[in-house]
């Protein structure tokens, strides 16, 4: 009898603790979300307040200068365009092809698991490690020097695991019934991949690829190791030219004590954020367009 009463008391304490946790958990999560949003909003408001007055076409059309009234980031903007564009040409086809192979074409289970495990680990490696690998392998090993192509391949290798993981997950979302039905009608594996899997998984693949490119355009550490340039006053005209990128130009301006350069850095951050928002919006638009086409 005493044991039963003790068990009832223990159960009642547990029930009260569960009720307290049920009430407190949403409050704690709401406070955490509020703090995170407030911190991000404070940073954005500060950046916009400091840099809005410096926004103009000269910020993109003019070269860097020691005079903040004439300074721009044309060379950095073009350098980002070259490196990110070339890295997308490297990572997107290879990542999508690798995801398709691992999900549909690979018949060796142990090899597939080994590759998937290592790709998942590479997706979490710090970007500076890719910069060091690119410096030793591409810059010095292959003799490419501190050129655009070395930086582009470094960013491409860095974003390749993200594109591969998103492509593999996109293929898994295709219903098995559609693939089995196509095989039952006599379709080959290549035809199933071309007409069944790709049209239905491509929206998610493109979304993951564009988000990976968004990460690449904001990276500074690997490009700082590869390029080493914070100040350059000429346009890149070849993939073997020296270069700089927008994050490095922002770092250069932020490191200066003058208030005018701080304002230029804030304006450049706004431009970079606008580019990232445009890439994210394009990912959403591409996904919506392909999904609408499938419905029709």
């Amino acid at each position: 009898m005493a044991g039963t009463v003790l068990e009832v008391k223990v159960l009642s304490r547990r029930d009260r603790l569960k009720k307290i946790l049920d009430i407190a958990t949403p409050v704690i999560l709401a406070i955490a979300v509020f703090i995170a949003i407030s911190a991000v909003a404070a940073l954005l408001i500060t950046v916009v307040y400091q840099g809005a007055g410096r926004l103009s076409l000269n910020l993109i059309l003019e070269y860097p200068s020691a005079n903040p009234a004439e300074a721009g980031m044309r060379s950095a903007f073009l350098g980002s365009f070259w490196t990110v564009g070339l890295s997308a040409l490297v990572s997107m086809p290879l990542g999508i092809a690798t995801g398709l192979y691992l999900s549909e074409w690979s018949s060796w289970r142990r090899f597939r698991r080994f590759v998937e495990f290592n790709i998942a680990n590479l997706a979490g490696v710090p970007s500076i490690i890719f910069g060091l690998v690119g410096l030793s392998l591409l810059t010095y090993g292959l003799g490419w020097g501190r050129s655009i192509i070395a930086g582009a391949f470094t960013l491409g290798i860095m974003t390749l695991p993200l594109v591969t993981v998103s492509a593999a997950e996109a293929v898994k979302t295709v219903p098995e019934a559609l693939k089995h039905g196509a095989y039952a009608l006599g379709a080959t594996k290549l035809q199933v991949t071309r007409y069944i899997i790709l049209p239905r998984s491509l929206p998610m693949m493109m979304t993951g690829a564009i988000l990976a490119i968004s990460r690449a355009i904001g990276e500074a550490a690997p490009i700082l190791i590869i390029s080493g340039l914070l100040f350059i006053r000429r346009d890149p005209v070849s993939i073997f030219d020296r270069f700089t990128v927008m994050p490095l130009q922002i770092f250069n301006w932020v490191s200066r004590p003058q208030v005018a350069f701080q304002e230029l850095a804030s304006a450049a951050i706004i431009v970079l954020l606008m580019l990232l928002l445009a890439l994210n919006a394009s990912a959403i638009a591409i996904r919506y367009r392909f999904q609408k086409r499938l419905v029709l």
Side-chain angles (χ1 to χ4, degrees), residues 196-228:
I196 301 296
I197 297 175
L198 268 180
R200 286 162 177 80
S201 60
L202 195 59
M204 188 173 176
M205 290 180 180
M206 296 301 297
T207 301
I210 293 175
L211 293 179
I213 294 171
S214 299
R215 178 193 173 185
I217 199 174
E219 286 291 347
I223 300 300
L224 179 60
I225 294 175
I226 296 295
S227 173

Side-chain angles (χ1 to χ4, degrees), residues 59-137:
L59 185 64
I60 298 177
L61 298 179
E62 298 296 332
Y63 294 105
S65 172
N67 183 4
E70 301 175 355
M73 58 174 185
R74 174 172 174 167
S75 55
F77 183 83
L78 293 176
S80 293
F81 177 80
W82 277 75
T83 53
V84 174
L86 289 175
S87 68
L89 294 178
V90 172
S91 62
M92 289 177 65
L94 289 178
I96 292 175
T98 305
L100 284 171
Y101 174 78
L102 293 175
S103 301
E104 291 297 320
W105 291 79
S106 177
S107 58
W108 191 6
R109 182 177 299 178
R110 291 184 178 178
F111 173 75
R112 183 173 67 249
R113 290 181 177 178
F114 174 78
V115 174
E116 289 177 347
F117 176 78
N118 284 278
I119 288 176
N121 287 334
L122 285 175
V125 172
S127 59
I128 193 170
I129 303 299
F130 289 100
L132 293 172
V133 172
L135 181 68
S136 61
L137 179 62

Side-chain angles (χ1 to χ4, degrees), residues 128-174:
I128 193 170
I129 303 299
F130 289 100
L132 293 172
V133 172
L135 181 68
S136 61
L137 179 62
L138 303 176
T139 301
Y140 297 126
L142 298 180
W144 288 355
R146 297 179 179 272
S147 59
I148 290 175
I149 190 171
F153 268 80
T154 300
L155 292 180
I157 295 171
M158 184 189 70
T159 56
L160 182 60
L162 301 176
V163 179
T164 302
V165 170
S166 63
E169 293 299 323
V171 173
K172 293 177 182 178
T173 61
V174 179

Side-chain angles (χ1 to χ4, degrees), residues 210-292:
I210 293 175
L211 293 179
I213 294 171
S214 299
R215 178 193 173 185
I217 199 174
E219 286 291 347
I223 300 300
L224 179 60
I225 294 175
I226 296 295
S227 173
L229 289 178
L230 300 179
F231 187 86
I232 185 171
R233 288 182 54 86
R234 60 187 179 86
D235 296 342
V237 295
S238 170
I239 59 175
F240 295 102
D241 284 347
R242 299 293 299 272
F243 71 104
T244 188
V245 292
M246 286 190 289
L248 294 186
Q249 187 62 62
I250 293 172
F251 174 76
N252 184 17
W253 284 338
V254 168
S255 61
R256 299 194 177 190
Q258 296 90 338
V259 176
F261 283 112
Q262 303 291 328
E263 295 174 351
L264 279 174
S266 297
I269 292 172
I270 295 173
V271 174
L272 186 58
L273 289 175
M274 291 173 64
L275 288 176
L276 294 176
L277 290 175
L279 287 173
N280 292 334
S282 63
I284 295 172
I286 290 173
R287 190 172 198 174
Y288 174 76
R289 182 177 180 181
F290 277 98
Q291 288 177 345
K292 186 178 180 181

